[in-house]
């Protein structure tokens, strides 16, 4: 169910979106239909104009692809040097975000927004780099081809036969200013033949495939249409944020009014044809009034089918509560800035038109700027009209209670007759009138008004006990009382209708909010499916199951209450719902022998699952008044399943990417850290054949130890990742542990002195001595590797109120800002930074793994207290209070 906002006040959502842009940079995208239309040329040209206007402009990255005109335009701009990233033995140049942030220009030019960054970069995609620059308050201009827009990826692939892998989310375009760079297809083909886009060999191949005239024309149309949609959305957002009146008909927006009648499906199809012809967005809207409470089960099912049809045809759907159809439809049309409305008009009698008026005529008068398309819809079914008319009179008990209320007030008036005058007694009769109208509806209120006027005449106006009136003034009093009572009953009945609609809307919104919270709280696919079944069963008072499509047929994955199997007829109905994307089973038009009703959960990616519902008493699975709620639950469930599937796919892709990164890093590390010592050993061995010497023997021994450490690190890392670390904790003196590690690393730390700053009163700690020894060796080796030659390494231990902090501090370039946690990742050597040195990138990862296995934490930071103002890196192992040996423990050990 949707709530219509007041069009005369600013939209809170639009204001929040506008506020979120405060302090951010602005994004401008030069959008083209295909490569070679001149996007980069236009961006650089306008960049030169901004520089001439004294705007601080820099080039973050420009891909010239060997085009001389583009390279010439780059000259004159300040170009931020690219950052070198090593990948598979090759050096790749990527945009240096940190350098741009440090430079902080007013405007940065970034070519090819959809570009995928090299592995090891901060962000996998260039548009994410741009997001970081925008968040820092830097304006960004970028370029993009229409085939890289995520929502158009399938459309482009359908006629170009080329699937583009690098895409940009539509949300990036929605927040950007877009400028179309466009040239006719013939001119672009001519540029291609002249070698201005690709080299001749590639140009010939491109002309026969992607760059055909039909493809370029279709891509050009897509680009222009997408820009028109973006501009229209931004215009509407601005109008809503500033409460501007009018429909701003720069683009067509169609609203189709649907009802419970069978002809509504024809209105939906007509709206679809109109939307396709105008290439306009469209919405199917049902206005909920109190009349909806009188719908039969068949009418409710017809309404649900009509809204489902509109959704399948690509429309948005909405159900709007309102006092009457004209009020709700006009308010929604103003809020949606609709330019055209499609509505049906049934053939009514002149008497009906005179009593109720014409919805179409009132709508035309209310919405003067909106084109109203009226389609004939025949005559409403007479039996249904008769049944609804009978139901509209209410229950006999309602009239009995109204009559009793009038009788009660008559008794009260008789008791007070001597104390108050006749005019005040007449006012008392308004109380039962308002009670009847508010409790039982307008017709019961009118009955109470008539009864009150008759009772007032019979019991209080002379001659008492008759319906005759002796005083002409009393005749006026009777008619005044009757008129006031009728008006009062109408107002009371209208308040009741509004209250009922508000209560119904509140109940449904509360149910949807609760359903959404439960789905959001689910962290796994299994939890999500079980939450869907449990919430649907609770909200609709049914049994529910969820089945997923599979090559062998639908598979049961969740149920509430638990189900272990489904009958063959149920599986057949579920499969039919999957294949045809329509409901099947009991209560539908297909396979009604099944006890279950199956609804497909659809998204743009197809049917993700089917939800089945059934009642324990073998009755109809769904009450007619719950159909709108079920439709909303199905939409939310489909979106949640789609989100979870995308998240799991993203996690798998990240895992594959991390695996590839580790494999690449391992190969790089092995090739370097094995080749170097092996070369040294082979050379030294060859020299020893000619002239044996102790120095060469020491070289062989040193490099062999280096190889042994490398293999040990690989084995240690494998043990960490496998969780196979045997623990034998015992009381350890930290001074002795550090001294032992320093002794074992003396050969690798010949250029560094080790200063120990460990107080004698530092208590013993209960740790595994072997694992702690490995941690200290790797920290000292890391400090020697990255510390400047000739500088000392400080090992310091301090006690705080809840822990011991053991720190290893070098005097080197320090750690790049923001990389303090990344240094502990496997095979990480911070490429492109001053800390890049030869090594495996395993040492600090082993320190972290071993420390956490012992219950410790390790952190990295920079210090500014090194001698002569030099920076340094500080790695600290935090030993919690629970692992410190107390004096009582030492006494017990003694």
């Amino acid at each position: 169910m949707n709530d219509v906002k007041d069009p005369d006040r600013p939209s809170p959502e639009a204001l929040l979106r506008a506020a979120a842009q405060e302090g951010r940079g602005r994004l401008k995208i030069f959008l083209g239909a295909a490569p070679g239309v001149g996007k980069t040329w236009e961006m650089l040209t306008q960049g030169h104009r901004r520089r001439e206007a004294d705007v601080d402009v820099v080039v973050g990255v420009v891909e010239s692809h060997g085009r001389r005109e583009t390279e010439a335009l780059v000259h004159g701009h300040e170009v931020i040097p690219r950052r070198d990233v090593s990948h598979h033995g090759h050096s790749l140049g990527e945009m240096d975000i940190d350098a741009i942030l440090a430079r902080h220009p007013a405007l940065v030019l970034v070519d090819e927004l959809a570009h995928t960054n090299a592995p090891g970069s901060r962000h996998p995609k260039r548009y994410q780099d741009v997001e970081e620059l925008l968040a820092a308050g830097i304006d960004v201009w970028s370029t993009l081809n229409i085939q890289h827009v995520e929502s158009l990826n399938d459309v482009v692939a359908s006629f170009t036969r080329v699937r583009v892998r690098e895409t940009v989310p539509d949300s990036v375009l929605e927040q950007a200013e877009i400028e179309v760079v466009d040239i006719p297809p013939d001119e672009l083909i001519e540029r291609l033949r002249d070698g201005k886009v690709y080299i001749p060999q590639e140009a010939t191949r491109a002309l026969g495939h992607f760059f055909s005239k039909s493809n370029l024309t279709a891509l050009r149309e897509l680009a222009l249409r997408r820009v028109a949609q973006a501009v229209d959305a931004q215009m509407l957002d601005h109008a809503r944020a500033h409460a501007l009146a009018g429909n701003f008909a720069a683009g067509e927006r169609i609203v189709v009014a649907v009802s419970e009648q069978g002809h509504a499906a024809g209105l939906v199809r007509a709206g679809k044809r109109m939307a396709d012809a105008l290439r306009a967005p469209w919405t199917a809207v049902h206005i909920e009034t109190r009349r909806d409470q009188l719908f039969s089960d068949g009418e409710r099912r017809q309404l649900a089918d009509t809204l489902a049809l509109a959704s399948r045809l690509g429309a948005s759907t909405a159900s709007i509560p309102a006092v009457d159809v004209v009020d709700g439809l006009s308010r929604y049309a103003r809020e949606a800035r609709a330019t055209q409305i499609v509505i049906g008009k049934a053939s009514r009698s002149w008497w009906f038109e005179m009593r109720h008026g014409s919805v179409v005529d009132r709508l035309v008068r209310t919405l003067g700027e909106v084109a109203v398309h009226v389609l004939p819809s025949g005559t409403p079914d007479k039996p249904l009209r008769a049944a609804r008319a009978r139901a509209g009179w209410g229950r006999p008990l309602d009239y009995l209670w109204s009559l009793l209320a009038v009788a009660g007030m008559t008794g009260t008036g008789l008791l007070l007759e001597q104390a108050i005058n006749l005019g005040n007694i007449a006012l008392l009769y308004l109380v039962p009138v308002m009670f009847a109208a508010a409790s039982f509806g307008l017709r019961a209120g009118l009955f109470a008004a008539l009864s009150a006027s008759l009772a007032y005449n019979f019991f209080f106006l002379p001659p008492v006990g008759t319906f005759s009136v002796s005083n002409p003034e009393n005749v006026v009093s009777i008619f005044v009382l009757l008129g006031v009572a009728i008006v009062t009953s109408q107002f009371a009945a209208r308040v009741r209708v509004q209250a009922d609609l508000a209560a119904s809307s509140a109940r449904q919104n509360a149910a949807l909010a609760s359903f959404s919270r439960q789905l959001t709280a689910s962290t796994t696919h299994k939890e999500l499916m079980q939450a869907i079944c449990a919430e649907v069963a609770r909200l609709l008072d049914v049994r529910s199951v969820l089945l997923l499509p599979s090559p062998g047929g639908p598979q049961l994955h969740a149920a509430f209450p638990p189900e272990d199997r489904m009958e063959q007829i149920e599986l057949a109905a579920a499969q039919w719902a999957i294949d045809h994307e329509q409901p099947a089973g009991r209560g539908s038009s297909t396979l009604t022998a099944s006890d279950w009703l199956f609804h497909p959960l659809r998204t743009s990616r197809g049917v993700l699952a089917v939800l089945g519902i059934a009642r324990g008493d073998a009755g109809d699975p769904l009450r007619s008044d719950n159909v709108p709620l079920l439709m909303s639950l199905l939409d939310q469930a489909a979106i949640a399943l789609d989100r979870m599937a995308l998240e799991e796919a993203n996690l798998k892709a990240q895992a594959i990417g991390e695996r590839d990164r580790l494999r690449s890093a391992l190969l790089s590390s092995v090739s370097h850290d094995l080749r170097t010592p092996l070369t040294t050993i082979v050379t030294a061995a060859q020299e020893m054949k000619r002239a044996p010497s102790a120095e060469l023997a020491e070289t062989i021994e040193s490099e062999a130890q280096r190889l042994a450490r490398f293999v040990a690190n690989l084995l240690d890392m494998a043990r960490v990742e496998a969780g196979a670390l045997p623990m034998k904790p015992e009381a350890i003196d930290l001074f002795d542990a550090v001294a032992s590690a320093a002794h074992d690393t003396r050969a690798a730390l010949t250029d560094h002195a080790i200063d120990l700053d460990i107080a004698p009163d530092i208590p013993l700690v209960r740790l595994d001595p072997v694992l702690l020894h490995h941690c200290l060796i790797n920290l000292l080796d890391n400090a020697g590797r990255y510390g400047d030659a000739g500088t000392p390494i400080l090992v310091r231990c301090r006690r705080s109120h809840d822990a011991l902090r053991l720190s290893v501090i070098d005097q080197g370039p320090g750690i790049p800002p923001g990389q303090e946690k990344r240094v502990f990742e496997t095979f990480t050597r911070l490429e492109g930074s001053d800390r890049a040195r030869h090594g495996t990138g395993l040492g600090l990862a082993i320190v972290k793994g071993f420390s956490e296995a012992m219950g410790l934490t390790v952190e990295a930071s920079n210090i500014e207290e090194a001698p002569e103002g030099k920076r340094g890196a500080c790695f600290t192992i935090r030993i919690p209070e629970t692992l410190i040996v107390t004096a009582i423990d030492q006494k017990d050990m003694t």
Side-chain angles (χ1 to χ4, degrees), residues 409-602:
M409 193 54 63
T410 300
T412 303
L414 290 174
L415 292 176
L416 300 176
E417 184 177 12
Q418 303 301 321
I420 60 177
N421 59 38
L422 289 178
N424 290 331
I425 290 177
L427 293 178
L428 290 177
Y429 277 108
L430 295 180
V431 175
V433 171
M434 288 188 293
F435 162 75
S439 301
F440 309 122
L442 177 60
R443 292 181 177 179
L446 294 176
F447 173 77
L450 181 60
S451 301
S453 64
L454 293 175
Y456 179 62
N457 180 17
F458 188 85
F459 289 102
F460 297 103
L461 295 181
V464 176
T466 67
F467 288 106
S468 62
V469 180
S470 60
N471 189 344
E473 293 182 358
N474 290 336
V475 175
V476 176
S477 298
I478 291 175
F479 281 103
V480 169
L481 172 60
L482 181 61
V484 171
I486 290 174
V487 172
T488 302
S489 66
Q490 288 179 328
F491 281 124
R494 177 169 293 188
V495 169
R496 185 196 178 207
V497 170
Q498 292 175 335
D500 289 345
L501 290 173
S504 174
S505 177
R507 285 193 300 271
Q508 185 159 335
N509 287 339
L512 293 176
S514 172
F515 187 65
S516 179
R517 283 195 301 271
Q518 293 296 328
L519 300 192
T520 305
S522 303
T523 57
T524 65
H525 215 157
K526 183 67 176 177
E527 287 182 9
L528 176 61
M529 291 187 291
Q530 193 61 41
I532 291 172
C533 289
E535 285 299 296
V536 168
R538 181 181 68 84
L539 294 172
L540 301 179
D541 190 24
V542 294
R543 297 156 57 203
S544 62
V545 294
L546 195 70
L547 298 92
L548 299 185
S550 73
Q555 298 293 320
L556 179 64
H557 281 261
F560 191 91
E563 295 270 353
D564 56 357
R565 63 185 299 273
M566 302 292 292
E567 298 296 334
Q568 193 62 39
I569 183 64
E570 274 77 38
L571 294 177
Q575 185 63 54
W576 196 95
I578 293 172
D579 294 338
H580 296 83
E581 300 187 8
Q582 293 183 17
R586 186 163 187 172
S588 71
S589 58
T590 304
L591 297 174
T592 55
S594 171
D595 291 335
W596 292 78
L597 172 62
F598 293 95
H599 277 271
L601 301 182
R602 299 187 307 271

Side-chain angles (χ1 to χ4, degrees), residues 126-201:
R126 185 168 288 170
Y127 73 81
Q128 295 171 318
D129 297 341
V130 168
E131 284 289 332
E132 184 172 347
L133 298 176
L134 293 172
I138 301 173
D139 291 347
V140 179
W141 288 1
S142 190
T143 62
L144 183 70
N145 287 323
I146 191 64
Q147 63 264 34
H148 295 289
V149 177
E150 177 65 43
S151 64
L152 300 177
N153 188 258
D154 293 337
V155 178
V156 173
S158 67
F159 60 83
T160 63
R161 302 295 186 267
V162 176
R163 173 72 67 175
V164 176
R165 300 299 178 187
E166 294 180 325
T167 59
V168 173
D170 289 61
S171 58
V172 176
L173 274 74
E174 291 166 2
Q175 65 179 349
E177 174 190 350
I178 302 177
E179 178 174 329
V180 179
V181 182
D182 183 45
I183 62 174
D186 290 334
E187 186 175 339
L188 179 56
I189 292 173
E190 192 64 32
R191 282 175 50 81
L192 193 67
R193 287 173 177 159
D194 293 342
K196 296 180 179 180
V197 180
Y198 296 129
I199 60 176
Q201 294 82 356

